[in-house]
Amino acid sequence: MAVPVVSSVRKPHRVAVLVQHGVIPFELGIPFRIFGGAKTPGGEPLYEVLTCTPDGPGTVRADADFEINVAHGPDALETADTVIVPAAHEQTSAHTDGRNPELLAAAFDRIRPGARLVSICTGAYFLAAAGRLDGLRATTHWNSAHHFQSLFPKVKVEPDVLYVDNGDVLTSAGVASGIDLCLHLVRRDHGTAVANSSARSSLVPPHREGGQAQYVQRPVPEPQLATTAAARAWALGRLDRPLVLRELAERESMSVRTFTRRFREEVGVSPGQWLVAQRVERARGLLESSDLSVDQVAREAGFGTAASMRQHLQTALGVSPTAYRRTFRT
């Protein structure tokens, strides 16, 4: 009797992008570019990305002077591991009454249990209208955050971040923050090395500093005013040693108060929050790619002790250093 051959080839993670009339072409292209650039060391794709509409295959009007031919209907949602909903600039009942149009509501019902839900920009309106954000933290474009919160009071809106990760439900802020969120998902699924490779292929930073507060419209500062960029670069080269706020301010010849205010304006977070985030990223990279012990990684990343690093990684990532290394060691 012949023994059946079991394939050891891993099936790519299927991503379905649910598009509607008025879709922003830039946002539509983000998942294809970022997930499409994620490959195994042998060059095999880790994701399969396809586009679908709520009402069947056909033509979708873009938020531009062209149309997009979409090959799949809502049945594609039934086999998707991740469903991404980008923004659409044509107003629907989701934007006015907090209710999804009938066909879109029916499409959401076809998403299989356990599938990951993701929105880009004001695509969060559709997730919220489907009740998928009730009781959760979420974000959307800063210009729509107040209206979004008033329309969906059960959602806790965080207008200053680039994205929010609730595990199986994720939302990103305006437009290009969809890149940050997709890279975050690749990093979460396959580790820093794969995410960095995908980012390099698209010529985008693998991790952006701060939140969307830095992009909110405000008066342009005078050209002669100093920034905090040099202090940030100096700190990145010294993460393994204790750094105090006074040192950073002195690098820019500013008072601590002025430096702190300028830093938050430019980066979107306080200097202390930024330093912790950079040390977490350093620790992640070392845990994935080096043979250093957990204690050594803690010292190299500037946490001092393994206990301190464990606390910060648990807060930032929800896992211990040992568990993270076991999952993402390359």
Side-chain angles (χ1 to χ4, degrees):
M1 181 177 178
V3 177
V5 176
V6 179
S7 174
S8 61
V9 177
R10 183 175 181 176
K11 185 179 180 181
H13 181 108
R14 173 169 284 191
V15 178
V17 185
L18 182 58
V19 298
Q20 302 165 80
H21 293 299
V23 65
I24 302 172
F26 179 78
E27 292 188 17
L28 177 59
I30 290 172
F32 288 89
R33 186 69 195 183
I34 300 302
F35 291 115
K39 302 181 186 298
T40 67
E44 297 297 319
L46 291 167
Y47 298 89
E48 174 193 13
V49 187
L50 52 85
T51 310
C52 63
T53 71
D55 53 350
T59 301
V60 172
R61 296 185 299 275
D63 182 38
D65 63 344
F66 56 82
E67 297 180 329
I68 299 168
N69 185 38
V70 179
H72 303 278
D75 55 305
L77 300 171
E78 299 172 2
T79 58
D81 301 301
T82 294
V83 176
I84 298 180
V85 186
H89 273 181
E90 291 192 14
Q91 290 286 306
T92 70
S93 57
H95 303 90
T96 56
D97 305 326
R99 297 178 296 102
N100 278 327
E102 185 177 346
L103 286 174
L104 182 59
F108 268 101
D109 289 339
R110 301 182 71 157
I111 298 174
R112 67 178 184 82
R116 191 162 56 187
L117 293 177
V118 179
S119 67
I120 298 177
C121 193
T122 54
Y125 276 81
F126 304 116
L127 264 60
R132 304 301 182 96
L133 296 179
D134 288 355
L136 298 179
R137 297 161 48 246
T139 192
T140 187
H141 193 288
W142 62 266
N143 200 36
S144 300
H146 179 73
H147 176 260
F148 183 88
Q149 182 68 91
S150 64
L151 193 60
F152 303 106
K154 293 182 180 179
V155 182
K156 182 182 177 183
V157 179
E158 298 194 2
D160 296 332
V161 299
L162 291 176
Y163 57 83
V164 173
D165 182 348
N166 291 292
D168 58 354
V169 181
L170 304 94
T171 54
S172 74
V175 195
S177 61
I179 298 174
D180 301 280
L181 179 51
C182 288
L183 283 171
H184 168 71
L185 286 171
V186 174
R187 189 181 304 113
R188 203 179 87 174
D189 291 345
H190 300 288
T192 301
V194 175
N196 288 355
S197 178
S198 182
R200 281 195 296 271
S201 71
S202 299
L203 296 180
V204 296
H207 178 76
R208 261 199 300 175
E209 302 170 356
Q212 64 173 327
Q214 60 190 306
Y215 302 106
V216 176
Q217 187 174 7
R218 54 170 58 92
V220 177
E222 294 297 324
Q224 67 268 24
L225 292 179
T227 73
T228 62
R232 297 199 301 274
W234 180 82
L236 286 175
R238 296 163 176 80
L239 289 178
D240 60 332
R241 52 160 285 191
L243 296 171
V244 296
L245 186 55
R246 177 180 50 79
E247 286 182 292
L248 297 175
E250 288 175 351
R251 302 298 303 181
E252 303 290 5
S253 301
M254 297 180 190
S255 68
V256 169
R257 183 176 179 180
T258 299
F259 178 83
T260 300
R261 175 176 55 80
R262 190 72 51 75
F263 193 101
R264 187 178 285 278
E265 288 175 352
E266 293 177 3
V267 182
V269 295
S270 71
Q273 291 171 315
W274 179 83
L275 274 173
V276 169
Q278 304 313 307
R279 285 178 165 140
V280 167
E281 288 303 307
R282 172 72 62 84
R284 290 171 71 164
L286 292 172
L287 288 169
E288 292 179 24
S289 61
S290 77
D291 293 323
L292 296 177
S293 69
V294 171
D295 287 320
Q296 290 173 315
V297 170
R299 289 194 294 271
E300 288 293 320
F303 288 116
T305 66
S308 175
M309 182 174 72
R310 187 177 300 108
Q311 179 182 351
H312 282 97
L313 260 67
Q314 189 70 46
T315 300
L317 309 176
V319 296
S320 68
T322 301
Y324 186 86
R325 169 170 273 175
R326 187 166 53 245
T327 301
F328 293 113
R329 180 67 178 269
T330 56

